[in-house]
C-alpha cells in the first residue's frame, strides 16, 4: 500500500511568500513544458544545416536527436522523485537552468561533439524540468473541473510545442541560421526562470526521506539503455546485436529495479502506485496511444517534403491546421469530461484519431493538400488532444500528495518511451515496405511505406481504445484496484 503522507509541520513545506495567482503558476508551468516538447522536434529541419556547418557524419547527425531523447527518457523518473523530496520549485529551476545553459552551449558549438554534449545536457535538464511542470500545476489547482482545465492547457501547450517544432525550426533556419533553433531557448528560458524565482512558491512532500539511490541508478540506467536500443533500430534493424543487446539489457535492468523497489524501505517508485487503477491504466493507455500518435508529425513532414515537394517552411505551414486542432481538442476535453467522463472522452478521442490515421493511409503520390494532409491531419490531432487530457488527469489522480512528482514523471516517461518505441517500429515498417516496392517510382515507393505506417498506427489506436474502454476507471478513484 502507499505510505501515508507526512503531516509534520515540515511537510509539505510551503514558503512564507504570498501564494501566487493560479493562472500565473499555470502559465509558468506551461512555458516550461512548451520548451521541453518543442526541442524534441524543432531541430529536425535544421539537421542538414548542422551537418554542413559542423561536418557531422550521418550517424553523428542521428545522435543530435537521440542524445536528447535518451537523456530525457532515462532521467524522467529520477527528476520526478527529486521534485517530491527536494522541492518542486527547486527542481523546476534546476532543470530550466540546465536546459537554458545547454541550449546556449549547443547554439555556440564549433565542433560536432560539443553539439552532442549540449543536446545530452538539454535532455537531462528536460527530464528534471518536465515532471515539475505538471506537479506544480496539480499542486496549485484542486482536483476537479478546475484542475481538468489546467491539465488541458498544459496538454495543449505541450502538444502545440511538438506540433510547432517544424514550423518554428523552418522559420528560424530560413531567416537566421540553424543555431537559432537552440539559441531561441535562451531568452525565453531566462524570462521563465526569472518569473519562477519571483512568483513560484516551494513545496515538497518528502517527509525527511532520502532518495533511493540504488533504485534511481537502476531505473535511469534501464530506461536510458532501453531508449538507446530503441533508437538503434532505425539504423541497425531489430535483429542486429547492437540493437538486441541494449534492448535486453534495459529490460533486465528495469526488472532488477522492480525487485529492488519491492524490498527497499523508501523506494523511488512504490509499487503500490501500480495497484491504483487510474495510475496504471492511464499510463498503459498513454504508452500505447503515444506509440501510434507520435509518429504522425514525422511521417507527415516527410510526405510533404519528399513526395509532394514542399519546402521545410511550406511543410511547417501545411501542418498548422493540425497544430490548431490538437489545441482545440485539449481545450474541449474538460467540458466533455464533465458530461461524459474521462474514460469516454479518452476512448472517443482515440477512435477519432484512428479514423484520421486510416484516412491518411489512403495517401497517394499526387495527393491534394486538403484531402491528403489537412483533413486527415485535423482528425488525427483533434483526437489526440481529446484523448491526452483525460489520460493525464487520470494518471495524476488517486496518488498521495508525496507521490505527485513521481506520477508526473511516470506519465511523461510513458508518453516519451511510447513515442520513441512507436517511431522506431513505424520507421522500420515504412522502410521495409519502401525497399520492397523499389521497382516503382521513388515517390510511389515512399508513399507506400508511409501509408503502411499510418495503417499500422490506426490498428494500434483501435487496440488502445479497447484497452481504455476495458481498464480505465469510470470515475476517478484513489482506491487501489482489486
Amino acid at each position: 500500500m502507499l505510505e501515508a503522507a507526512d503531516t509534520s509541520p515540515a511537510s509539505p513545506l510551503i514558503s512564507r511568500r504570498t501564494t501566487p495567482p493560479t493562472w500565473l503558476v499555470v502559465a509558468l508551468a506551461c512555458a516550461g513544458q512548451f520548451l521541453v516538447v518543442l526541442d524534441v522536434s524543432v531541430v529536425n529541419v535544421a539537421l542538414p544545416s548542422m551537418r554542413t556547418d559542423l561536418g557531422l557524419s550521418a550517424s553523428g547527425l542521428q545522435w543530435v536527436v537521440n542524445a536528447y531523447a535518451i537523456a530525457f527518457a532515462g532521467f524522467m523518473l529520477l527528476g520526478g522523485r527529486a521534485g517530491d523530496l527536494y522541492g518542486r520549485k527547486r527542481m523546476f529551476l534546476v532543470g530550466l537552468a540546465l536546459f537554458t545553459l545547454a541550449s546556449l552551449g549547443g547554439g555556440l558549438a564549433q565542433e560536432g561533439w560539443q553539439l552532442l554534449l549540449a543536446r545530452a545536457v538539454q535532455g537531462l535538464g528536460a527530464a528534471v524540468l518536465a515532471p515539475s511542470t505538471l506537479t506544480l500545476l496539480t499542486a496549485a489547482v484542486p482536483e476537479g473541473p478546475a484542475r481538468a482545465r489546467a491539465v488541458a492547457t498544459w496538454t495543449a501547450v505541450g502538444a502545440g510545442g511538438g506540433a510547432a517544432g517544424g514550423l518554428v525550426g523552418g522559420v528560424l533556419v530560413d531567416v537566421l541560421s540553424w543555431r537559432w533553433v537552440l539559441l531561441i531557448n535562451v531568452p525565453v528560458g531566462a524570462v521563465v526562470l526569472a518569473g519562477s524565482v519571483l512568483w513560484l512558491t516551494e513545496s515538497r512532500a518528502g517527509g525527511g526521506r532520502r532518495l533511493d539511490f540504488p533504485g534511481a541508478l537502476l531505473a535511469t540506467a534501464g530506461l536510458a539503455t532501453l531508449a538507446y536500443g530503441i533508437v538503434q533500430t532505425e539504423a541497425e534493424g531489430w535483429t542486429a546485436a547492437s540493437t538486441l543487446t541494449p534492448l535486453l539489457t534495459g529490460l533486465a535492468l528495469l526488472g532488477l529495479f522492480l525487485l529492488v523497489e519491492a524490498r527497499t524501505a523508501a523506494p523511488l517508485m512504490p509499487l503500490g502506485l501500480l495497484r491504483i487503477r487510474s495510475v496504471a491504466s492511464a499510463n498503459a493507455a498513454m504508452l500505447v496511444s503515444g506509440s501510434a500518435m507520435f509518429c504522425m508529425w514525422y511521417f507527415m513532414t516527410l510526405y510533404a517534403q519528399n513526395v509532394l515537394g514542399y519546402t521545410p517552411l511550406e511543410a511547417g505551414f501545411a501542418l498548422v491546421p493540425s497544430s490548431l486542432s490538437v489545441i482545440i481538442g485539449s481545450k474541449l476535453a474538460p467540458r466533455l469530461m464533465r458530461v461524459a467522463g474521462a474514460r469516454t472522452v479518452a476512448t472517443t478521442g482515440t477512435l477519432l484519431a484512428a479514423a484520421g490515421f486510416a484516412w491518411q493511409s489512403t495517401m497517394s503520390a499526387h495527393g491534394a493538400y486538403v484531402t491528403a494532409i489537412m483533413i486527415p491531419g485535423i482528425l488525427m490531432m483533434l483526437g489526440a488532444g481529446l484523448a491526452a487530457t483525460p489520460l493525464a488527469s487520470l494518471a495524476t489522480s488517486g496518488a498521495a500528495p508525496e507521490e505527485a512528482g513521481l506520477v508526473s514523471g511516470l506519465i511523461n516517461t510513458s508518453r516519451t518511451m511510447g513515442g520513441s518505441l512507436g517511431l522506431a517500429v513505424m520507421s522500420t515498417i515504412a522502410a521495409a515496405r519502401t525497399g520492397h516496392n523499389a521497382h516503382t517510382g521513388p515517390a510511389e515507393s515512399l508513399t507506400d511505406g508511409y501509408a503502411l505506417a499510418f495503417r499500422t498506427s490506426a490498428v494500434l489506436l483501435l487496440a488502445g481504445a479497447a484497452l481504455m474502454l476495458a481498464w480505465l476507471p469510470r470515475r476517478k478513484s484513489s482506491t487501489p484496484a482489486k
Side-chain angles (χ1 to χ4, degrees):
M1 295 298 292
L2 292 175
E3 297 179 49
D6 187 350
T7 56
S8 65
S11 178
L13 176 65
I14 306 294
S15 76
R16 294 180 181 177
R17 292 183 183 178
T18 302
T19 302
T22 300
W23 68 265
L24 186 56
V25 176
V26 173
L28 291 170
C30 288
Q33 179 71 357
F34 182 83
L35 287 175
V36 165
V37 179
L38 179 72
D39 240 63
V40 174
S41 58
V42 72
V43 300
N44 288 339
V45 297
L47 292 176
S49 300
M50 290 176 176
R51 182 174 187 176
T52 301
D53 197 14
L54 299 180
L56 290 166
S57 64
S59 60
L61 202 63
Q62 182 185 21
W63 279 100
V64 174
V65 177
N66 293 344
Y68 182 89
I70 290 173
F72 188 23
F75 286 91
M76 193 95 71
L77 282 180
L78 180 59
R81 176 51 96 197
D84 288 335
L85 299 184
Y86 305 127
R88 284 74 181 258
K89 174 183 175 180
R90 180 180 297 174
M91 289 300 103
F92 183 90
L93 296 177
V94 168
L96 184 56
L98 265 179
F99 183 88
T100 303
L101 290 173
S103 298
L104 178 62
L108 299 178
Q110 300 301 311
E111 300 288 342
W113 68 267
Q114 295 172 350
L115 177 60
L116 298 184
L117 177 61
R119 288 289 288 167
V121 177
Q122 264 192 317
L124 173 59
V128 176
L129 173 62
S132 296
T133 64
L134 186 54
T135 308
L136 287 168
L137 185 149
T138 54
V141 186
E143 192 167 337
R147 180 183 290 183
R149 289 193 298 271
V151 171
T153 301
W154 178 86
T155 303
V157 168
L167 177 59
V168 172
V171 171
L172 291 173
V173 172
D174 280 1
V175 176
L176 298 170
S177 78
W178 69 263
R179 297 183 181 276
W180 279 95
V181 302
L182 299 172
L183 292 177
I184 193 65
N185 294 328
V186 178
V188 177
V191 170
V192 177
L193 197 62
S196 301
V197 170
L198 290 173
W199 295 311
L200 289 183
T201 56
E202 184 60 283
S203 70
R204 63 172 177 264
R209 290 185 298 173
R210 295 183 178 180
L211 188 65
D212 169 25
F213 280 106
L217 181 63
L218 287 170
T220 301
L223 288 171
T225 306
L226 187 62
Y228 174 78
I230 290 171
V231 300
Q232 283 289 93
T233 60
E234 186 171 353
E236 305 294 337
W238 286 91
T239 58
S242 57
T243 297
L244 288 175
T245 299
L247 285 176
L248 294 176
T249 302
L251 291 173
L253 288 170
L254 291 177
L256 186 57
F257 163 71
L258 294 177
L259 289 177
V260 169
E261 297 305 279
R263 296 174 179 271
T264 189
L268 174 69
M269 188 180 78
L271 298 185
L273 276 176
L274 301 180
R275 292 197 296 271
I276 300 176
R277 184 173 178 176
S278 60
V279 175
S281 59
N283 274 279
M286 184 68 83
L287 183 74
V288 173
S289 62
S291 66
M293 292 182 185
F294 185 79
C295 67
M296 178 268 188
W297 302 113
Y298 178 78
F299 285 114
M300 290 289 274
T301 302
L302 290 180
Y303 174 60
Q305 294 185 59
N306 295 343
V307 176
L308 300 183
Y310 291 20
T311 67
L313 189 57
E314 289 171 342
F317 275 113
L319 295 176
V320 166
S322 305
S323 305
L324 294 176
S325 66
V326 74
I327 295 172
I328 292 170
S330 299
K331 299 302 289 183
L332 279 176
R335 299 181 182 181
L336 297 176
M337 287 164 62
R338 290 197 295 271
V339 177
R343 185 184 70 159
T344 301
V345 175
T347 305
T348 302
T350 303
L351 290 173
L352 184 61
F357 274 84
W359 184 332
Q360 191 63 56
S361 71
T362 64
M363 64 207 304
S364 71
H366 306 287
Y369 168 70
V370 172
T371 55
I373 292 181
M374 189 180 79
I375 296 177
I378 288 173
L379 289 176
M380 285 186 277
M381 289 299 100
L382 183 63
L386 286 172
T389 297
L391 290 179
S393 295
L394 286 168
T396 54
S397 69
E402 64 268 25
E403 315 296 354
L406 179 60
V407 294
S408 299
L410 191 59
I411 191 65
N412 274 293
T413 300
S414 297
R415 179 167 54 185
T416 303
M417 293 302 292
S420 298
L421 179 61
L423 182 57
V425 171
M426 299 307 165
S427 295
T428 302
I429 289 172
R433 173 57 66 91
T434 298
H436 181 72
N437 290 345
H439 60 280
T440 63
E444 286 78 8
S445 61
L446 285 173
T447 301
D448 286 346
Y450 301 155
L452 181 58
F454 280 105
R455 194 153 49 247
T456 306
S457 294
V459 173
L460 191 58
L461 285 171
L462 290 176
L467 173 69
M468 294 175 198
L469 199 59
W471 194 8
L472 289 178
R474 293 179 182 274
R475 297 179 178 85
K476 294 181 181 179
S477 173
S478 58
T479 305
K482 301 291 184 184

